[in-house]
Amino acid sequence: MENYKQEFIQFIVESDVLKFGSFTLKSGRKSPFFMNAGAYVTGTQLRRLGKYYAKAIHNHYGLNFDTLFGPAYKGIPLSVAASMAISEIYKIDIRYSSNRKEAKDHGDKGIFLSSGLKNGDKVVIIEDVITSGKSIEEILPILKAQGNVEIKGLIVSLNRMECGRGEKSALQEMQDQYKFPVNSIVTMAEVIEYLYNRPCCGRIVIDDAIKKTIDEYYAKYGTAEFQQGLL
């Protein structure tokens, strides 16, 4: 596992973004873990988060694109943090852009915040996590309306590796539907592999008892890829 992935896993535990216990998801599933991106509350955290996204973007998509697009609202700070990190680490300026929920009719008019998009732009979309894919479904027509915009791919922080509407993960379903690559900083398989019975932030985050609840959850909801790899 790459160093930046190990560091990211430590970071989300340290920041109390990744929690283990019993959580009811929007889907109604009872999950033994939860990713709460709302726990990123400081400038230092956003700076570090931007660097992990930047390294994952570079790893999966390279840097041959024009704009990093973060859907409103959670994608807005992510696009800013990651574009700044790309500039700092790779010495390349990538524009960042986001959408408004409602178009503005005065001043800085339109649906876009900061950089808009133009015909021929290559775009990477940045999100925190994807569950149903509704946010992507909403913003793709907005992006495509700007002209011949090429979506290079989508990057999220965590691939939960659980079945979406069918037997595939929500990320794989999205990739199949929209025909662009979907990747993550880490997968849940990598998180479990790294944290199981290993000290992190001065404690064992995934012990045998927690691992048992995770195994039971993924026996029911895990994708074939997850089950073949871990169970």
Side-chain angles (χ1 to χ4, degrees), residues 7 9 12 64 78 85 89 94 110-111 123 140 143 145 162 165 186 198 212 231:
E7 292 173 5
I9 294 170
I12 58 179
N64 183 27
L78 297 180
I89 297 171
I94 299 293
I111 196 70
V123 179
L140 278 180
L143 301 185
E162 61 184 81
R165 289 167 291 187
V186 293
R198 181 198 301 261
K212 183 175 183 293
L231 300 181

Side-chain angles (χ1 to χ4, degrees), residues 144-199:
K144 294 294 187 180
Q146 308 311 303
N148 184 26
V149 174
E150 177 186 352
I151 307 299
K152 296 282 289 186
L154 167 69
I155 189 79
V156 299
S157 60
L158 176 70
N159 180 356
R160 289 182 61 100
M161 301 185 79
E162 61 184 81
C163 296
R165 289 167 291 187
E167 296 182 353
K168 297 180 179 180
S169 70
L171 296 188
Q172 185 61 56
E173 288 175 347
M174 187 177 302
Q175 184 168 283
D176 292 347
Q177 180 176 358
Y178 297 118
K179 309 304 181 187
F180 56 71
V182 178
N183 289 287
S184 59
I185 302 177
V186 293
T187 67
M188 198 58 201
E190 291 170 327
V191 171
I192 296 167
E193 175 189 351
Y194 185 76
L195 290 179
Y196 180 45
N197 278 339
R198 181 198 301 261

Side-chain angles (χ1 to χ4, degrees), residues 57 61-71 75 78-80 82-84 86 92-99 112-126 139 143 146 148-155:
I57 290 168
Y61 303 119
L63 296 172
N64 183 27
F65 63 96
D66 304 293
T67 302
L68 190 57
F69 184 87
L78 297 180
S79 66
V80 174
S83 62
M84 292 175 67
I86 289 172
I92 293 177
D93 270 338
I94 299 293
R95 302 197 311 269
Y96 70 90
S97 183
S98 299
N99 64 302
F112 286 95
L113 292 167
S114 66
S115 169
L117 299 178
K118 59 181 183 295
N119 194 51
D121 273 355
K122 298 176 182 178
V123 179
V124 170
I125 302 171
I126 184 170
I139 63 100
L143 301 185
Q146 308 311 303
N148 184 26
V149 174
E150 177 186 352
I151 307 299
K152 296 282 289 186
L154 167 69
I155 189 79

Side-chain angles (χ1 to χ4, degrees), residues 35 120 129 174 210 212 215 225:
M35 278 281 287
V129 293
M174 187 177 302
I210 294 175
K212 183 175 183 293
D215 288 347
E225 178 186 14

Side-chain angles (χ1 to χ4, degrees), residues 16-63:
D16 207 26
V17 169
L18 177 63
K19 297 183 178 184
F20 293 91
S22 180
F23 306 92
T24 301
L25 306 179
K26 288 182 179 179
S27 63
R29 295 176 182 176
K30 302 289 186 180
S31 173
F33 67 93
F34 184 67
M35 278 281 287
N36 176 24
Y40 298 122
V41 294
T42 71
T44 298
Q45 287 174 325
L46 282 178
R47 183 172 181 272
R48 292 176 63 186
L49 179 61
K51 289 185 176 182
Y52 297 127
Y53 268 110
K55 291 178 180 179
I57 290 168
H58 178 263
N59 184 40
H60 291 294
Y61 303 119
L63 296 172

Side-chain angles (χ1 to χ4, degrees), residues 208-220:
D208 289 340
I210 294 175
K211 179 63 161 55
K212 183 175 183 293
T213 64
I214 292 172
D215 288 347
E216 291 171 349
Y217 183 78
Y218 277 100
K220 187 173 183 179

